[in-house]
């Protein structure tokens, strides 16, 4: 039916920044096709798992995949498009639960055990409620179609917040901002730059502690507008493709992320070494320079696990080649690095040099197998990139991905441990910065109908399929070794294949500040293994900036120091011994924390929870009004590392003067000293700079004296942290006891997961799991600690456990292990006890006054 004039005006806003980029791919011959709005329910049919609705030729199907996960599909032609997805697992799409129908004369609807859906027969407005009748989501207007384009609009409550969408810049909360989904090589990006490298059309809502997840599974150019254009409306627009929407109900944000992992797949368990410190540069120009950097890291006793090779190790920037003039003995170099405990990561960009009638095997085998993307006329598309004229694999073909994987054979035989897929937006050195939409991809993929597609449809998923090909290729070549792939561009579900980073950041204090929000949002978008170029890729950091960045990055999932060609040194020894000593100490802390970090990462492969987390994920009820603490300026630099560590970096790390570090609850401990802090709620933290105004929630706070050499880190009361002796790389076996730091408090517990760190033997039971608990007596005079038995067949590297129990008010009256008196050492408010761990579990009782 004809659209009202106001709707036509709203739809004109659809032509976002890259207006017309897909115009040649549109199927409608009308330059301004009529708008059709699903505004009346002309018929409704009950389904066992939902409803099918029609408004003339428009149709919509709303189904329940689970009690807490809904899917909405719609079409303007009366026929739903192909049920296929690059993001959503086939098993999830096929899932179904029975529903109870709730239709009457005014509305049609149904409910599950968790959710209730209603659609007004007269207006087409859909509402979503929890089972208790609380409104969770409401259409601002019914879904609209204009030719191949469509628009979804929902009301935006004044107290709702929006997170996710990958590594978008700006504030952590996307409210009052708008973003485009079009993967872009964004060298030189700044705080307002959009789009960036990734298109992850998934966001998490948060309102008074209640969350939904929304996935718009559409690979075409699209946009999200969280009230920037219309202040009370969230809008999504797509230039083409299916209207395929998934709504995931919490009510907690943690449950939303768990459901998202169920929907799109969890990240696999990475190799342990990827959690170590990684050193990189564009570029270490010679083999001698690589070995020199490695030797300096070991000589200065800076723990490190990986060294990266950027494009200059290649012959004329051609992927899968080696410049033998500057790297004359790559096998010997890799062997030497392995002997020193280093892993080697090599860049392999996806553009293949166009070298007809030459001896470049990747090009020749690709032509022979018809593996490259084509122009509309059937010729191979050629575009300029680093090697010069280049061709591009057609990764939407399963056989092309398999061919791509075989290109790694010689590199894996050399012993190269991981691969870095850069420039895969795809980046092309032309006016568009990528392929034109006239380029044609061939979809030949299980689960999809075999067909061709324009680049506008495939662009946003192209980088993910590149990383998928690399990941699968590594599995095929080394089936007993966990792959490591680092990708710059990706799509929803890309966490199944690769880790990622925030691209070409700059050596500025502002970019250090932006990194925290970007990594938080990536974690809320399915990616746990994330990082940034430490020190800033573009430009030379000051000594203070590099030191502070290294300190903060030591607590982030991927800790990679990387710099652009032509910039000053970024290595830890830059700026002299005093700075190096500070930086080394934080890298050493990271290595001591590896048992904790690896345990959290392994847990995330089951739960979908990231290693780096916003505060609200763990503490949704911390603020009196239940708003997310992370949106406050004064807490914007803070983040959680797993459930138990809080890094309280200041909002502006380059600002002078003391500041208040906010704590979500009372009773936290200083990680460095073990001292209990923030016991009361006396200090009022501001919504702005904490010490200047007093408009924020009343929370515990710790006054921090700002120093370059320090970073405030706090431990959650009730945490039990496993710590290992210092090693110089993860290939080194720790020597000494496993330390278990105990911080008494509510729900006191901890966990430990270990395996060989590299193979898939853990899937056959070769792992070690342990659980720990501690309980404080009602009179606070006794602590009962239980160390669980070893579960799994993987042997522990330790024979003893060193208990470090904090929070005591004085020396203990007695300490017993399995009922026998035990030796202990009393320090300031803590005691240390060494116990033999035979793997059967044990109980320790400390009788003393607990703070």
């Amino acid at each position: 039916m004809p659209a009202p004039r106001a709707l036509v005006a709203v739809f004109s806003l659809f032509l976002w920044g890259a207006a017309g980029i897909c115009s040649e791919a549109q199927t409608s011959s009308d330059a301004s096709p009529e708008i059709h709005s699903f505004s009346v329910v002309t018929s409704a049919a009950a389904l066992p798992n939902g409803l099918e609705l029609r408004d003339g030729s428009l149709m919509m199907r709303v189904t329940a995949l689970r009690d807490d996960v809904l899917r909405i599909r719609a079409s303007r032609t009366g026929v739903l498009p192909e049920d296929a997805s690059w993001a959503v697992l086939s098993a999830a799409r096929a899932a179904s639960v029975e529903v109870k129908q709730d239709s009457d004369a005014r509305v049609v609807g149904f409910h599950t055990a968790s959710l209730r859906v209603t659609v007004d027969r007269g207006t087409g407005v859909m509402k979503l409620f929890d089972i208790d009748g609380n409104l969770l989501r409401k259409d601002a207007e019914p879904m609209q179609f204009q030719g191949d384009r469509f628009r979804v609009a929902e009301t935006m409550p004044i107290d709702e917040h929006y997170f996710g969408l990958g590594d978008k810049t700006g504030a952590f909360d996307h409210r009052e901002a708008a973003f485009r989904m079009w993967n872009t090589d964004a060298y030189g990006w700044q705080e307002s730059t959009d789009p960036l490298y990734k298109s992850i059309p998934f966001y998490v809502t948060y309102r008074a502690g209640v969350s939904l997840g929304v996935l718009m599974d559409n690979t075409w150019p699209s946009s999200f507008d969280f009230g920037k254009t219309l202040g009370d409306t969230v809008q999504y627009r797509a230039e083409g493709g299916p209207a395929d929407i998934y709504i995931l109900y919490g009510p907690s944000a943690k449950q939303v992320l768990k459901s998202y992992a169920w929907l799109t797949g969890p990240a696999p368990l990475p190799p342990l070494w990827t959690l170590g410190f990684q050193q990189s540069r564009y570029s270490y120009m010679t083999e001698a320079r690589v070995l020199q950097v490695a030797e300096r890291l070991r000589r200065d006793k800076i723990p490190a696990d990986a060294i990266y090779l950027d494009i200059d190790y290649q012959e004329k920037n051609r992927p899968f080649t080696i410049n033998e003039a500057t790297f004359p003995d790559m096998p010997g170099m890799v062997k030497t690095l392995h002997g020193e405990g280093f892993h080697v990561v090599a860049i392999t960009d996806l553009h293949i040099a166009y070298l007809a009638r030459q001896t470049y095997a990747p090009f020749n085998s690709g032509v022979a197998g018809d593996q490259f993307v084509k122009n509309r006329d059937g010729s191979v598309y050629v575009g300029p990139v680093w090697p010069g004229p280049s061709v591009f694999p057609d990764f939407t073909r399963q056989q092309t991905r398999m061919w791509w994987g075989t290109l790694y054979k010689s590199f894996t035989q050399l012993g190269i441990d991981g691969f870095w897929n850069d420039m895969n937006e795809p980046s092309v050195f032309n006016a568009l910065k990528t392929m034109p939409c006239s380029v044609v991809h061939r979809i030949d993929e299980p689960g999809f109908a075999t067909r061709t597609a324009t680049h506008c449809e495939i662009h946003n998923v192209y980088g993910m399929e590149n990383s998928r090909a690399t990941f699968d290729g590594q599995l095929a070549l080394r089936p007993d070794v966990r792959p490591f792939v680092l990708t710059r561009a990706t799509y929803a579900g890309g966490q199944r294949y690769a880790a990622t980073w925030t691209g070409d950041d700059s050596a500025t204090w502002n970019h250090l500040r932006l990194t925290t929000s970007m990594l938080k949002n990536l974690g809320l978008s399915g990616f746990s293994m994330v990082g940034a170029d430490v020190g800033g890729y573009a430009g030379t950091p000051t000594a203070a900036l590099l030191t502070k960045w290294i300190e903060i990055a030591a607590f982030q999932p991927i800790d990679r120091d990387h710099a652009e060609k032509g910039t000053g040194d970024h290595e830890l020894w830059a700026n002299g011994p005093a700075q190096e000593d500070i930086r080394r100490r934080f890298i050493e802390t990271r290595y001591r924390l590896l048992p904790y970090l690896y345990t959290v990462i392994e847990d995330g492969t089951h739960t979908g929870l990231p290693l780096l987390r916003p505060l609200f994920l763990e503490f949704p009820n911390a603020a009196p009004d239940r708003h997310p603490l992370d949106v406050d300026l004064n807490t914007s630099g803070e983040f959680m590392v797993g459930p138990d560590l809080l890094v309280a970096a200041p909002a502006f790390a380059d600002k002078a003067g003391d500041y208040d570090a906010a704590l979500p609850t009372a009773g936290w401990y200083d990680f460095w000293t073990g001292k209990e802090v923030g016991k009361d709620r006396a200090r009022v933290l501001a919504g702005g700079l904490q010490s200047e105004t007093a408009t924020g929630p009343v929370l515990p706070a710790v006054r921090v004296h700002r120093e370059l050499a320090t970073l405030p880190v706090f431990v959650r009361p009730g945490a039990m942290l496993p710590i290992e002796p210092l090693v110089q790389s993860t290939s080194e076996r720790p020597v000494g006891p496993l330390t278990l730091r105990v911080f008494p408090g509510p729900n006191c517990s901890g966990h430990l997961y270990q395996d060989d760190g590299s193979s898939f033997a853990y899937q056959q039971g070769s792992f070690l799991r342990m659980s720990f608990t501690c309980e404080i007596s009602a009179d606070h005079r006794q602590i009962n600690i239980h160390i669980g038995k070893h579960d799994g067949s993987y042997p522990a590297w330790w024979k003893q456990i060193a208990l470090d129990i904090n929070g005591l008010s004085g020396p203990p009256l007695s300490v017993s292990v399995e009922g026998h008196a035990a030796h202990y050492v009393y320090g300031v408010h803590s005691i240390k006890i060494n116990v033999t761990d035979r793997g059967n579990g044990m109980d320790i009782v400390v009788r003393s006054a607990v703070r």
Side-chain angles (χ1 to χ4, degrees), residues 185 187 282 310-312 314-319 347 349 351 353 383-390 392 422-423 427-429 488 504 537 564-565:
D185 181 352
Y187 174 82
Y282 172 44
D310 211 322
I311 61 175
D312 290 293
Q314 301 167 141
E315 176 70 25
K316 299 180 180 178
N317 295 333
R318 297 169 184 172
I347 199 168
D349 290 341
H351 42 256
V385 206
W386 291 118
S390 302
F392 300 81
D422 202 357
M423 306 291 290
S427 179
V428 181
F429 297 162
R488 191 167 74 177
D504 297 336
Y537 174 76
E564 183 181 22
K565 187 177 291 187

Side-chain angles (χ1 to χ4, degrees), residues 1 7 35-43 52-61 73-76 108 119-126 139 141-145:
M1 71 178 52
L7 294 183
I35 295 174
H36 297 271
S37 177
F38 201 108
S39 54
V40 176
V41 178
T42 58
S43 67
E52 185 169 290
L53 312 174
R54 293 184 181 268
D55 178 358
S57 64
L58 304 180
M59 75 167 295
M60 181 182 298
R61 185 176 294 167
R73 304 176 68 203
S75 168
R76 67 178 175 84
V108 291
V119 180
D120 190 285
R121 292 181 182 271
T123 65
V125 169
M126 182 184 300
D139 286 346
E141 297 166 354
M143 190 181 298
Q144 302 166 11
F145 292 88

Side-chain angles (χ1 to χ4, degrees), residues 132-369:
D132 295 323
N134 300 302
L135 181 64
L136 300 173
R137 190 175 190 269
K138 176 186 175 183
D139 286 346
E141 297 166 354
M143 190 181 298
Q144 302 166 11
F145 292 88
Q146 184 183 29
D148 292 335
R149 302 166 176 170
F150 69 92
R151 171 180 178 264
V152 175
E154 62 178 287
T155 59
M156 191 174 81
I158 194 170
D159 59 344
E160 192 159 77
H161 306 270
Y162 305 92
F163 309 99
L165 301 186
D167 57 352
K168 295 300 186 181
T169 60
F172 175 47
D173 184 0
H174 296 324
R175 189 180 177 92
E176 300 180 4
F179 304 96
R180 293 172 283 169
M181 300 288 110
W182 184 252
N183 290 359
T184 301
D185 181 352
Y187 174 82
W189 62 263
Q190 297 301 319
E191 188 163 4
S192 59
T193 299
D194 184 69
L196 290 181
Y197 309 94
K198 302 165 187 65
S199 294
I200 305 178
F202 172 72
Y203 65 90
V204 177
T205 72
Y206 184 98
R207 185 185 184 198
V210 176
S211 288
L212 292 175
V214 180
L215 171 64
M216 300 291 191
D217 188 13
N218 183 298
T219 64
W220 286 71
S222 57
S223 65
F224 289 88
D225 186 327
F226 298 98
K228 183 174 183 178
T229 303
L230 299 176
D232 58 354
T233 306
V234 174
Q235 302 177 76
Y236 171 79
R237 301 180 177 88
E239 289 249 0
D244 197 353
I245 305 166
Y246 296 85
I247 301 176
L248 291 61
Y249 173 57
S252 71
K254 279 188 173 182
Q255 180 57 42
V256 168
L257 295 187
K258 187 174 183 178
S259 295
Y260 184 70
W262 171 82
L263 193 71
T264 65
L269 184 62
L272 175 62
W273 64 263
T274 62
L275 288 172
F277 178 66
Q278 305 177 21
Q279 185 64 58
S280 181
R281 184 172 185 84
Y282 172 44
S283 284
Y284 292 127
M285 299 296 293
T286 66
E287 180 180 303
R289 178 59 176 153
V290 172
L291 293 173
Q292 181 185 54
V293 170
E295 190 277 333
R296 180 70 183 268
L297 286 164
R298 291 292 177 250
R299 187 182 75 202
D300 288 11
K301 296 192 179 302
I302 299 168
D305 263 87
I307 291 182
Y308 281 61
L309 305 179
D310 211 322
I311 61 175
D312 290 293
Y313 80 89
Q314 301 167 141
E315 176 70 25
K316 299 180 180 178
N317 295 333
R318 297 169 184 172
F320 302 102
T321 66
I322 295 171
N323 184 341
E324 294 183 356
T326 52
F327 287 81
D329 185 14
M330 182 71 83
M333 184 193 78
V334 173
K335 183 178 180 180
T336 297
L337 291 171
H338 283 175
E340 293 296 322
F342 290 101
H343 295 80
V344 181
V345 181
I347 199 168
T348 52
D349 290 341
L350 53 74
H351 42 256
I352 298 297
Y354 182 77
L355 296 174
R357 295 180 296 280
Q358 297 189 38
T359 58
Y360 182 42
F363 176 80
N364 294 334
S365 64
V367 169

